[in-house]
Amino acid sequence: MAAVRVEAVLAAAEEQEAEKRRSITVEKELELEYDLGNLLAVDRNPPPAAALRGAGPRREALLRALARDNTQLLVSRLWELPAERAGGAGGPLVAQLPEPTFRLPREKPAPKPRPPTRWEQFARLKGIRRKKKTSLVWDEQAKEWRRRWGYKRAGGDPARAWLAEVPAGADPEEDQFARLRREKRERVARNELNRLRNLARAHRAGSAVPAAPLHPTGHQDRDELRRVARVARVSTASLGRFQPRLPKEPAEPPSRSGGKKRRFQPLLGNLAAERSRQLELLRDMGSKKPVLDITRAVNKQLRQEEAEAAAANKGKKQSKRGKRGRRQQRPGRSGKKSGARRQPQQQKPTGGGTGGGRRKKA
């Protein structure tokens, strides 16, 4: 009995070891096509058709096993890529994925790149690289970590300090606190001006028709002020929905393009509606009869009839004008006019007496 039990234990251990090896070793007749950049594996091996007929536990088990084997092959390929530790020696192991080779379709159009600002253009021309700074710095006066910029920043606001240093060469009678407040207002105004200029430049670059240049220092007309206010309003993340409105401004906030905002269908939602749309599209593509838009066809026919009627009326007016002109020209009247014009050119004979020009009948 003891020998039988040992053999059974050994057989069970061998089965467990074979199961472990089978879990990481998968054999396929045709090798899978991999795109590790997109974490994609394409299996060209045909599945058994007999097992996939009908719906039942056997089919579900076959599909789960097929998905599991292909996932194991993909994970095995990922472990063959070069890897490194993220965040130091104690960090997780991260694999370096290659460039994707399969171009995945995209539902929505790719976003357009934002036009660079003047500073970004200058930095690119001069080779200046932007260095990321931490948002918190140590404040020696308060002995705590504070923000680098903004409210309650490190070092405090110089305009609100209780003591202001008089710089060398400045007027000792000048109010330094007023000077600091004035310089702060100028900096804020200059930053706002630069922001509006960048927005206007980006708006001109994005529109097909070049917009008129902005004049922040003056010479603004009503249309330009309305356009600048709209551009500044929609520059927030909420497209100006929570911004205070000006007098006589429409309640509905304008969009970035100034027109109707496009609405896209959600990626995840009603599957039945999506299935019906796809089936309708396939039905229209497969039908031999073209899809007829009744409203568009009627409008086209009406426009064509109006154009023909306008052309006919124009031809009738021209013909009436020509007849009226021919009626006004009479042959007798034209002869008199021509004779009257030629009369001064004829020379009459002159006589010696005073009554030589007239003759009386006897």
Side-chain angles (χ1 to χ4, degrees):
M1 295 295 295
V4 174
R5 291 178 180 177
V6 170
E7 291 177 356
V9 169
L10 293 176
E14 290 180 357
E15 290 180 0
Q16 293 179 1
E17 189 68 22
E19 183 67 24
K20 291 181 180 179
R21 288 195 301 268
R22 185 167 61 251
S23 63
I24 61 175
T25 305
V26 180
E27 296 181 358
K28 293 281 186 177
E29 296 182 0
L30 299 177
E31 188 177 359
L32 273 65
E33 299 178 5
Y34 299 97
D35 184 8
L36 300 182
N38 291 322
L39 299 180
L40 175 66
V42 181
D43 189 4
R44 302 292 184 181
N45 295 284
L52 295 179
R53 293 175 182 174
R58 183 181 178 184
R59 178 183 178 183
E60 294 295 331
L62 179 61
L63 293 177
R64 289 178 181 273
L66 184 61
R68 183 259 162 207
D69 293 343
N70 293 337
T71 306
Q72 179 61 49
L73 292 174
L74 180 61
V75 172
S76 301
R77 281 299 186 96
L78 291 177
W79 278 102
E80 297 177 0
L81 296 176
E84 60 181 3
R85 294 284 180 180
L93 191 63
V94 180
Q96 299 179 2
L97 298 179
E99 293 293 332
T101 57
F102 186 77
R103 189 174 181 180
L104 296 177
R106 186 184 181 95
E107 182 189 12
K108 296 181 176 61
K112 297 180 180 179
R114 179 181 59 85
T117 60
R118 293 188 61 185
W119 165 249
E120 292 176 350
Q121 295 177 359
F122 175 77
R124 185 182 304 172
L125 180 63
K126 297 297 182 180
I128 302 175
R129 295 184 179 180
R130 183 177 180 181
K131 296 181 180 179
K132 187 176 180 180
K133 297 181 180 180
T134 58
S135 59
L136 297 178
V137 293
W138 179 256
D139 191 359
E140 293 293 342
Q141 298 178 2
K143 302 299 181 182
E144 62 180 3
W145 292 93
R146 289 191 174 182
R147 298 184 182 91
R148 186 184 295 273
W149 304 280
Y151 179 66
K152 288 186 178 181
R153 63 177 180 269
D157 190 358
R160 296 184 178 183
W162 66 275
L163 179 63
E165 182 181 359
V166 179
D171 186 7
E173 301 297 333
E174 183 184 4
D175 189 359
Q176 300 299 324
F177 295 100
R179 180 182 62 83
L180 293 176
R181 288 192 296 269
R182 184 175 64 256
E183 291 178 355
K184 182 178 179 180
R185 287 195 301 268
E186 291 176 357
R187 288 195 302 270
V188 172
R190 185 165 56 251
N191 293 336
E192 182 68 13
L193 175 60
N194 293 333
R195 186 181 72 86
L196 291 177
R197 283 179 175 174
N198 291 333
L199 288 176
R201 188 181 298 107
H203 183 69
R204 289 198 301 269
S207 60
V209 180
L214 297 178
H215 304 283
T217 57
H219 309 288
Q220 299 101 334
D221 54 357
R222 181 180 301 177
D223 297 337
E224 187 174 1
L225 288 176
R226 187 183 297 110
R227 181 168 57 85
V228 172
R230 184 180 63 82
V231 172
R233 180 183 180 85
V234 300
S235 61
T236 59
S238 61
L239 295 179
R241 190 176 301 275
F242 305 102
Q243 298 296 325
R245 295 185 177 87
L246 299 175
K248 299 182 180 180
E249 189 176 3
E252 185 66 20
S255 62
R256 292 186 185 273
S257 59
K260 186 177 179 181
K261 185 176 180 180
R262 297 178 60 188
R263 296 184 180 273
F264 298 96
Q265 296 293 336
L267 295 176
L268 300 176
N270 190 1
L271 298 180
E274 183 179 359
R275 187 184 302 109
S276 63
R277 289 196 302 270
Q278 300 294 338
L279 290 176
E280 185 178 359
L281 178 61
L282 291 176
R283 193 181 304 111
D284 294 341
M285 294 173 61
S287 63
K288 296 182 180 180
K289 296 182 179 180
V291 180
L292 178 61
D293 191 352
I294 303 298
T295 305
R296 187 175 181 182
V298 171
N299 293 337
K300 185 177 181 180
Q301 181 66 21
L302 291 176
R303 288 194 301 268
Q304 186 176 0
E305 292 178 358
E306 291 177 358
E308 292 176 356
N313 294 334
K314 186 177 180 181
K316 290 181 179 179
K317 290 181 180 179
Q318 290 180 356
S319 61
K320 289 182 180 179
R321 189 181 299 113
K323 291 180 180 179
R324 190 182 301 114
R326 288 194 296 271
R327 287 175 183 175
Q328 291 177 359
Q329 295 179 1
R330 296 177 181 177
R333 192 173 182 181
S334 61
K336 291 181 179 179
K337 287 184 178 180
S338 60
R341 291 178 181 176
R342 290 193 296 269
Q343 186 177 358
Q345 297 178 2
Q346 296 176 0
Q347 296 181 359
K348 296 181 179 181
T350 57
T354 56
R358 294 181 181 178
R359 294 182 180 180
K360 295 182 179 180
K361 295 182 179 180

